[in-house]
Amino acid sequence: MQTNVLSKMLCILFCLIATCIPAMGQSGNYSVKGVLVDSLTNDTEPYATIRILSAKSLDKPVKLNVTDEKGRFNEKLTQPGDYIITLTSVGKKTVERKFTLSASQKQVDLGTLYTAEASEMLKGVEVVAQKPLVKAEIDKISYSVEDDPDSKTNTTLEMLRKVPLVTVDGEDNIQVNGSSNFKVHVNGKPNTLMSNNPKEVLRSLPANSVKSIEVITEPGAKYDAEGIGGILNIITDDARMQGYNVTVNARASNMGLGGGAYGTVQVGKFTVTGNYAYNYQTQPTGYNESTREDFTSTDFRHLNSNSSYDSDGTFQFGNLEGSYEIDTLNLITFSANLFGGKFNTKNNAYTEMLNEAREHTYSYRTLSDNTNNFSNVGVNLDYQRSFKRKGEYLTLSYKFNNSPNGGEATTSYDEIDSYPEELYGPLRRQYYNNDAHTAEHTGQIDYVNPISDMHYVDAGLKYIYRLNASDSKYYRENNEGVMQPDADLTSKFDQGQNILAAYADYQLKWKKLGVKAGVRYEHTFMDVEYAQLPDRNFNANFDDVVPSANISYMLGNTMTLRANYNMRINRPGIWYLNPFRDTSNPTSISYGNPDLDTEKSHNLGMTFSSFSAKFSFNLNLSYMFINNGIEHYSFMNNGVMESTYGNIGKSNRTRLSLWMNWNPGNKTRISLNASGSYSDFKSSEFAAGNHGFTGNFFGNIQQTLPWDLRFSVYGGGSTPYISLQGKGSSYHYYGFNLSRSFLKEKRLNVSLFASNVFSKYQEYSNETVTDTFRSWSLSKSPSRSYGLSISWRFGELKAQVKKTARSISNDDVKAGGGGQGGSTGGGAQ
């Protein structure tokens, strides 16, 4: 089946490329070419900014590009006329030439153009060169959105497709430096909503309000100790004007529907931005089958199970941000956000146990109705005091965050045959209600001082009070059919954390060399209380020193070599800690571990990056090791498999990743993200271990067709993944997207999309092998999706909410799965 699907994908890709080639050839019947060279050294000038203007209209370029890595250019134009071309590179004089294209002279060769250092001073008047479109700095890459003519009509999400190290696939999913684990900042301040839902927000944000987009791949010690793959910093326009801007959107597919709105309004010094979206999700029936062999038992040797499930649910999120500029040195900002969802699942499963001779021992059918809900409410308040020195400021911040999560389930049993009640108790209807939440209060102080162009320091203090709480109530049916509380399975606990943190960061920029070094200290006071079992109460203290160091060297205007080391920590979230025991499946129970410790990872990396107008790539080699990893593990206990978590893992991983982008023509973009890694897992506590190679890839082709149609096709997949006690299955996916914009300034956008159209289900398998048991499972999940989305932007407003340069972003917790405490979860990979 997979072979047929891959054959169809290759056929589609071949056809698309075949259609791109003639389209590229017809992109312009007229052209101008040449090469830019340094007049003194005769070295070519790579990646110089090219601007071509019509002699009739000098206020707006008709073409904007950069020279290739050898200083050459060959630009296509659509009509004859008189033109002016300018070429600009950093620190050099601007070269300007006039040329004419006509029916008799469709191609013009300007030959070799010479430039020189811009060292002249005219009576104290500074000579200012035009800014290049792409700029590589020691610690980041910047794309000048305001200098790109497309920013006048496109959204910010569309402009992201042009930014080096950023990939946007056919479904508008964003990756930074080949990873979907990144944070979004606005004017240097963490933005929770954009980080959680970047494509929803950025597709609604007009690009004409953005000055530039920065890609930062190696944050320093000022960020929380949790590792962050990268930062996308959106620098907005400073223009201040009255008005409003609103974008509304709707989406419908075979798996649900949804809609939302994004808006900004400004009155005087007060600016407010809001966003809200609501989605309903449903899907066809899914299927699971599993087998388990218990090496420790003869009577209960082989367990077989088959099940089907149906699910639906709702999800909503919203955000409100505002700012008040007291004066040029004092700024107050606030924000509030919420998101939440509720999902229902009905499951029908048949279970049969066989003995060693594969003879029937017992069987039963399980009918369950589960409801899981999650939500988050957060409030931020920031005050920033700026000083006369540019870039020097002090920020005071407060953040409150509350995340209630829980679930309830009703389970009943039918078709019971020879079930051994003397061992496990009777199979009777049961109900549980698991109420859990995490609440946080955070205060933070940041001070930034750019001492000079070479030296930069910043420091800060932070305090977090975090409460993880769980209240699990369990009920069983008695002999009279009445539901009664089960004291043995009911639990209630509170885990309080007081976290004190301090950091200091130093940065040096000297010619082509850059050095960033920092250290972060965190002390955690932890107090755990059990309402029903007070003898288990305990408290503990943890000290974590988190260093980071980065060295970078500019090999050229657009080539950078980086080396880095950092240590990051992951604190277990509520779903890892919750001791609630889920016994709805009597052959397999699960629960969390409240005694988990902080997980620490050490990371070493080397990165080489190079980009140009036509071809860009980023190559990264990294090595990571963990000595006390939080691992999900299972074991047999008297014929029942129990699953929980523990600090039992030692692991190391060597990973090579490649991000590549090729623009063969002005209307075609081809990108690739791929990585391969070798992982080694060990656990002395369970005498377990596993190792192996894993690889994954993602490819995307985007083509602009006649009538301004934008078409993209994408696909990807992965080899089987490796875990401590087993491995998972490989997978693949693919999709298409066709869109077009209408009305003035492209305010109305209509998109058709489809994914996995040749297969109704996607299959995933998982295998676990230990000294005491072997288990295998196969799930078939609905994967075919198709639908329509529409967005409409109206109103006029250039100004966005003004931000403080620093704020609070708590990202130090290892997240887990929802539902009950034993559910599988993990942090972003």
Side-chain angles (χ1 to χ4, degrees), residues 537-796:
N537 295 350
F538 72 94
N539 54 67
N541 296 330
F542 304 100
D543 288 286
D544 296 299
V545 178
V546 184
S548 63
N550 301 287
I551 300 176
S552 61
Y553 185 77
M554 302 286 291
L555 300 175
N557 288 339
T558 59
M559 291 188 293
T560 305
L561 183 65
R562 296 186 181 93
N564 70 282
Y565 163 78
N566 61 71
M567 192 267 278
R568 290 291 182 256
I569 65 176
N570 290 315
R571 296 185 181 92
I574 183 65
W575 297 116
Y576 289 86
L577 300 167
N578 194 344
F580 165 68
R581 297 173 66 89
D582 179 10
T583 62
S584 57
N585 182 353
T587 64
S588 179
I589 66 176
S590 57
Y591 48 92
N593 180 4
D595 299 328
L596 290 175
D597 196 0
T598 299
E599 178 185 87
K600 299 178 177 64
S601 66
H602 301 264
N603 305 275
L604 293 163
M606 181 75 71
T607 303
F608 174 73
S609 60
S610 175
F611 62 88
S612 66
K614 290 188 177 295
F615 185 77
S616 306
F617 73 94
N618 188 83
L619 188 65
N620 175 263
L621 177 65
S622 63
Y623 175 76
M624 180 269 294
F625 67 92
I626 300 174
N627 291 324
N628 67 333
I630 299 174
E631 298 288 347
H632 178 262
Y633 67 94
S634 303
F635 59 94
M636 300 302 300
N637 183 9
N638 195 25
V640 177
M641 186 174 74
E642 299 190 17
S643 300
T644 187
Y645 303 92
N647 292 100
I648 62 170
K650 289 188 176 182
S651 62
N652 62 78
R653 184 190 69 189
T654 302
R655 183 173 185 265
L656 180 65
S657 63
L658 170 68
W659 174 91
M660 184 178 67
N661 182 81
W662 178 39
N663 298 326
N666 294 331
K667 298 183 178 181
T668 307
R669 179 182 176 116
I670 301 173
S671 61
L672 172 70
N673 278 313
S675 68
S677 62
Y678 178 81
S679 301
D680 187 10
F681 298 89
K682 294 179 181 179
S683 175
S684 58
E685 290 87 343
F686 287 88
N690 200 5
H691 58 86
F693 289 93
T694 302
N696 62 77
F697 73 96
F698 170 83
N700 184 33
I701 300 177
Q702 300 170 356
Q703 176 68 35
T704 301
L705 303 174
W707 304 294
D708 201 26
L709 289 170
R710 298 186 299 277
F711 179 72
S712 66
V713 56
Y714 64 92
S718 173
T719 62
Y721 68 85
I722 305 297
S723 62
L724 175 64
Q725 292 184 316
K727 65 177 183 179
S729 66
S730 60
Y731 66 89
H732 66 271
Y733 59 92
Y734 53 92
F736 316 92
N737 186 293
L738 181 66
S739 64
R740 192 182 191 280
S741 297
F742 301 89
L743 304 182
K744 184 180 178 181
E745 298 180 351
K746 298 182 179 181
R747 289 174 174 266
L748 178 65
N749 187 77
V750 180
S751 298
L752 298 172
F753 57 89
S755 62
N756 301 316
V757 294
F758 299 121
S759 53
K760 183 177 181 180
Y761 290 95
Q762 182 77 271
E763 294 187 352
Y764 300 92
S765 64
N766 185 279
E767 183 182 37
T768 300
V769 180
T770 72
D771 293 338
T772 59
F773 75 93
R774 172 191 175 272
S775 68
W776 174 87
S777 65
L778 174 68
S779 65
K780 296 174 61 177
S781 301
S783 62
R784 183 182 297 159
S785 174
Y786 48 86
L788 168 72
S789 67
I790 300 175
S791 66
W792 176 40
R793 174 170 52 91
F794 60 92
E796 290 293 341

Side-chain angles (χ1 to χ4, degrees), residues 176-194:
V176 176
N177 200 22
S179 172
S180 57
N181 179 21
F182 64 94
K183 297 291 182 181
V184 180
H185 288 195
V186 176
N187 296 328
K189 174 186 174 181
N191 188 292
T192 302
L193 179 69
M194 285 194 179

Side-chain angles (χ1 to χ4, degrees), residues 340-377:
K342 184 176 182 180
F343 290 87
N344 304 301
T345 303
K346 293 185 177 181
N347 190 75
N348 187 327
Y350 179 76
T351 301
E352 182 182 26
M353 179 68 77
L354 307 176
N355 61 18
E356 190 174 25
R358 294 190 179 275
E359 298 170 334
H360 177 84
T361 302
Y362 66 83
S363 62
Y364 60 90
R365 182 174 297 278
T366 304
L367 304 173
S368 63
D369 190 349
N370 301 271
T371 299
N372 293 309
N373 56 78
F374 59 92
S375 60
N376 180 87
V377 177

Side-chain angles (χ1 to χ4, degrees), residues 32-39 42-50 66-75 85-89 95-97 108-116:
V32 57
K33 66 178 182 178
V35 59
L36 185 64
V37 173
D38 186 288
S39 60
N42 278 328
D43 293 334
T44 58
E45 288 291 324
Y47 317 123
T49 301
I50 304 168
V66 295
T67 60
D68 65 15
E69 65 276 5
K70 294 184 179 180
R72 299 171 301 192
F73 61 91
N74 188 356
E75 300 303 316
I85 183 173
T86 64
L87 297 99
T88 306
S89 55
V95 177
E96 181 178 307
R97 292 290 186 275
V108 171
D109 186 354
L110 297 177
T112 301
L113 305 176
Y114 293 95
T115 185

